[in-house]
Amino acid sequence: QLLLQESGPGLVKPLETLSLTCTVSGGSIRSDSFYWGWLRQSPGKGLEWIGSIYSSGASYSNPSLKSRLIMSVDTSKSQFSLRLTSVTAADTAVYYCARRGRVDSYNWDSWGQGTQVLVSS
Amino acid sequence: DIVLTQSPGTLSLSPGDRATLSCRASQSVRSSHLAWYQQKPGQAPRLLMYTASSRATGIPDRFSGSGSGTDFTLTISRLEPEDYAVYFCQQYSSSPAIFTFGPGTKVDMK
C-alpha cells in the first residue's frame, strides 16, 4: 500500500523559506508511471495545486507560485521536497503531498495526511 | 484560468436520500480532466471519480458522475452515514498547465 508522509516545521517566520519533504513508501518514487506533487488547503483559498515533479527532476508549477517555488526529488531516499521562499501569512495552510498518474491521468489518487504550516512571527 | 463553482454550498439530507452536487466551469473542461474528491474532517481529500464518470478504486457504486463541457454532476444515490463530508471537483487545463479545485459542497445530516 502506497504511503506518503509530509514532514517539516509547523511554524515559519514571515519572509523566510518554508521547506517540506514527502517520504514515499510502499511504492517506487522512481517509477516512470507517476508524477509527485504538492497541494495545500486554507480556509481562505481552498484547495490549491502548488506543483508537480517527476522522478527525473523535471517539474512544473502553479504560475502564481512559480517565482517562489523550488522542488526537488531524491530517489535514493524515496523523497521529494518543496521550498517556498519569502512566505507570508497567505501561505499558512495544510500542505499535502500526493501522487498522480503520468499518462492520461489528471487527478490525485493518493495523498499524504497533510501537515499544518503556520506563517507567523 | 478556469474557475470552478460548486452548488449548493451545503446540502442537508437524511440517510437514504439522493444527493445531487453540481460543479460548473467558467470555460469548457474536457471530461477526461474532471475529478471529484471526498474530504472528511481532519483527513486528506480522497479521490472518488476521475474522467468525470469513472469510480476510483474501492468507491461504492452508489456514487456516480456525469456531465460534459461546463456542467458536471456528482450523484450519491442513497446516502450512507459515512458519506457525510465535503465534496470537491477538480479540473486540469493544459494552457497554462494547472489544476484547479472548486470551493466544495458540504453534505450534512438533516
Side-chain angles (χ1 to χ4, degrees):
Chain A
Q1 180 188 358
L2 184 75
L3 288 176
L4 298 95
Q5 179 68 59
E6 306 87 354
S7 58
L11 179 63
V12 183
K13 289 183 168 57
L15 301 181
E16 293 192 345
T17 296
L18 183 165
S19 297
L20 295 174
T21 295
C22 182
T23 302
V24 179
S25 59
S28 176
I29 199 172
R30 291 189 178 91
S31 171
D32 61 1
S33 297
F34 301 106
Y35 275 108
W36 307 93
W38 291 97
L39 303 97
R40 67 183 183 180
Q41 185 173 29
S42 62
K45 292 185 180 179
L47 277 164
E48 181 180 29
W49 169 71
I50 298 171
S52 303
I53 191 165
Y54 189 54
S55 57
S56 65
S59 65
Y60 64 108
S61 55
N62 191 320
S64 69
L65 298 168
K66 188 174 182 178
S67 64
R68 297 193 292 130
L69 182 65
I70 303 166
M71 291 184 291
S72 60
V73 61
D74 186 338
T75 56
S76 67
K77 294 182 178 178
S78 227
Q79 293 177 336
F80 60 102
S81 299
L82 165 154
R83 284 168 51 88
L84 187 65
T85 63
S86 303
V87 297
T88 69
D91 295 309
T92 293
V94 177
Y95 284 74
Y96 296 100
C97 59
R99 181 190 81 171
R100 66 167 271 234
R102 180 170 162 261
V103 179
D104 292 335
S105 176
Y106 304 97
N107 56 80
W108 300 91
D109 65 0
S110 293
W111 296 62
Q113 65 184 24
T115 187
Q116 174 72 56
V117 175
L118 173 65
V119 178
S120 175
S121 55
Chain B
D1 292 357
I2 296 177
V3 176
L4 298 178
T5 303
Q6 292 187 244
S7 61
T10 301
L11 200 49
S12 297
L13 295 169
S14 301
D17 285 350
R18 182 183 185 89
T20 303
L21 288 68
S22 172
C23 175
R24 182 161 290 178
S26 60
Q27 304 171 44
S28 185
V29 173
R30 294 175 64 175
S31 296
S32 59
H33 295 180
L34 195 286
W36 289 92
Y37 300 81
Q38 176 193 69
Q39 187 177 34
K40 297 180 180 179
Q43 296 184 16
R46 172 194 181 197
L47 179 66
L48 280 182
M49 312 292 299
Y50 61 98
T51 64
S53 60
S54 300
R55 278 186 297 276
T57 302
I59 302 303
D61 61 7
R62 64 180 180 273
F63 290 90
S64 63
S66 63
S68 63
T70 59
D71 290 295
F72 297 88
T73 300
L74 175 70
T75 302
I76 310 171
S77 59
R78 293 175 309 278
L79 275 168
E80 297 286 343
E82 61 269 28
D83 299 337
Y84 291 97
V86 180
Y87 293 84
F88 297 94
C89 57
Q90 169 247 297
Q91 70 85 35
Y92 170 82
S93 54
S94 57
S95 185
I98 190 168
F99 296 86
T100 56
F101 290 81
T105 289
K106 182 178 182 180
V107 178
D108 66 15
M109 194 172 294
K110 189 174 182 180

